[in-house]
Amino acid sequence: MPSILRPYKEVDPLLPREISAALRKCSSSSAPGPDTIPYSVWKRVHLVAPQILTELLGPLLKFGYHPVSLNKSNGVVLDKPGKASYDSAASFRVIVLLQTVSKIMERVVASRLSLVARSLKLVHDNQCGSPPSVWSVDAALSLVDTVRTLQPPGLRVSTLFRDIKGGFDNVNASILCSSLKKAGVPHYIVSWIGSFLSQRTCRLLFQGTPKSISPVQVGSPQGSPISPLLFVIYVAALQIDIPDGLSRFYVDNFALSAAWTSYRMNIRTMQGAFGQIRARANAHEVVFVRW
């Protein structure tokens, strides 16, 4: 936390309608995090007295700051069914429950950042998933269209599929914020994101363990409304142009397609392209699932 917080200039004030829009996307049946306050309570509060959340969250935008107290979460550990043994961590999965008042703020910032990202072209045109109205069906249809376009008579098309390991866990706050600053994102949003991604903690909850709080050193939190957008902005630098081919991302999965007169040439082309992507990934501390 900075020793002195100073307000940023030219910050559009938080409006009640922004909070209303955020709350409309929040399910009243969602489990709350450490604050134990369900969304149904916040919806009622905002309906009766809209100035409460507006005055509570507005200064966070003005000062570009997310309180450490809101960076706490609960991680509910669930066993994966059908495992022969539960002696390893891979036999379990964690559902992260964030504080509801924090997620309201995260939706507000995500909405503002989405507009900025669109105007500054921070999300690559070949990215599916996470951007509004671009879903898995679009990714599949786009891949089919790519294959058909690259497949005139005499050419063969090959596609390489790879997954980014960890997804949101790969996001480095320092690298992300530096990239956002260079791209021209308003400073108050960059500052808030840096604050949101730092000094995070999580309390793992499962039977027979102490409810101790552990620091979370890297990544953007699972379950956060802003995490998908931050991730696709973060990995936009991995996109490259492929001669006689195309790269297409769907969140943390991507496909490289190439079309030549032989499959051997396709393999060489995709090997070279993936080498470029891996070099960019290393610079962003992103790793891929090993085969």
Side-chain angles (χ1 to χ4, degrees):
M1 174 180 174
S3 57
I4 299 177
L5 292 174
R6 294 185 173 87
Y8 286 89
K9 298 179 180 179
E10 301 179 356
V11 177
D12 293 332
L14 180 61
L15 301 176
R17 68 169 178 265
E18 291 183 87
I19 296 177
S20 298
L23 286 171
R24 282 196 296 270
K25 298 178 181 179
C26 299
S27 173
S28 298
S29 61
S30 296
D35 57 2
T36 70
I37 304 176
Y39 286 119
S40 57
V41 172
W42 291 123
K43 291 180 178 182
R44 182 62 179 172
V45 167
H46 192 60
L47 180 65
V48 175
Q51 74 279 4
I52 292 179
L53 280 173
T54 305
E55 294 177 2
L56 177 66
L57 301 178
L60 302 185
L61 286 178
K62 184 177 181 180
F63 288 90
Y65 179 68
H66 197 71
V68 175
S69 59
L70 296 185
N71 282 347
K72 298 177 181 179
S73 60
N74 287 338
V76 181
V77 182
L78 303 175
D79 57 291
K80 297 179 181 178
K83 293 292 182 179
S85 173
Y86 291 91
D87 295 333
S88 68
S91 300
F92 301 86
R93 62 190 180 98
V94 180
I95 303 298
V96 179
L97 302 179
L98 307 175
Q99 301 187 63
T100 51
V101 68
S102 175
K103 292 181 72 172
I104 295 170
M105 184 64 186
E106 293 159 37
R107 288 191 184 279
V108 169
V109 179
S111 178
R112 293 193 176 197
L113 179 60
S114 179
L115 295 175
V116 174
R118 190 177 299 114
S119 65
L120 297 177
K121 298 186 180 301
L122 299 181
V123 178
H124 199 277
D125 292 337
N126 292 341
Q127 174 71 57
C128 298
S130 297
S133 304
V134 185
W135 312 113
S136 56
V137 173
D138 300 283
L141 291 176
S142 176
L143 178 59
V144 172
D145 180 70
T146 297
V147 172
R148 289 176 175 174
T149 301
L150 296 174
Q151 201 175 29
L155 293 185
R156 293 176 172 82
V157 180
S158 302
T159 300
L160 169 68
F161 297 93
R162 293 302 301 266
D163 295 338
I164 294 175
K165 184 177 181 180
F168 298 168
D169 295 340
N170 278 281
V171 176
N172 181 297
S174 178
I175 296 176
L176 173 64
C177 290
S178 177
S179 299
L180 294 177
K181 285 181 181 178
K182 292 179 181 178
V185 174
H187 289 177
Y188 80 94
I189 293 181
V190 178
S191 178
W192 182 91
I193 291 172
S195 179
F196 169 69
L197 295 179
S198 63
Q199 294 183 274
R200 299 200 64 86
T201 57
C202 183
R203 177 190 288 114
L204 294 179
L205 304 176
F206 57 100
Q207 186 175 7
T209 64
K211 298 180 180 180
S212 58
I213 298 176
S214 301
V216 180
Q217 302 293 344
V218 295
S220 188
Q222 297 282 346
S224 169
I226 200 173
S227 286
L229 179 57
L230 294 180
F231 178 76
V232 296
I233 292 175
Y234 189 71
V235 298
L238 275 59
Q239 292 274 8
I240 63 171
D241 294 324
I242 305 174
D244 298 307
L246 183 70
S247 65
R248 175 72 67 181
F249 275 62
Y250 181 75
V251 192
D252 58 350
N253 307 289
F254 75 92
L256 300 178
S257 298
W260 289 87
T261 55
S262 70
Y263 290 119
R264 184 182 298 274
M265 288 298 298
N266 286 346
I267 292 173
R268 290 179 180 176
T269 298
M270 291 186 295
Q271 285 176 333
F274 182 66
Q276 295 180 50
I277 291 175
R278 186 161 49 188
R280 296 186 182 191
N282 290 339
H284 282 69
E285 300 182 3
V286 172
V287 295
F288 296 92
V289 176
R290 297 184 64 179
W291 290 347

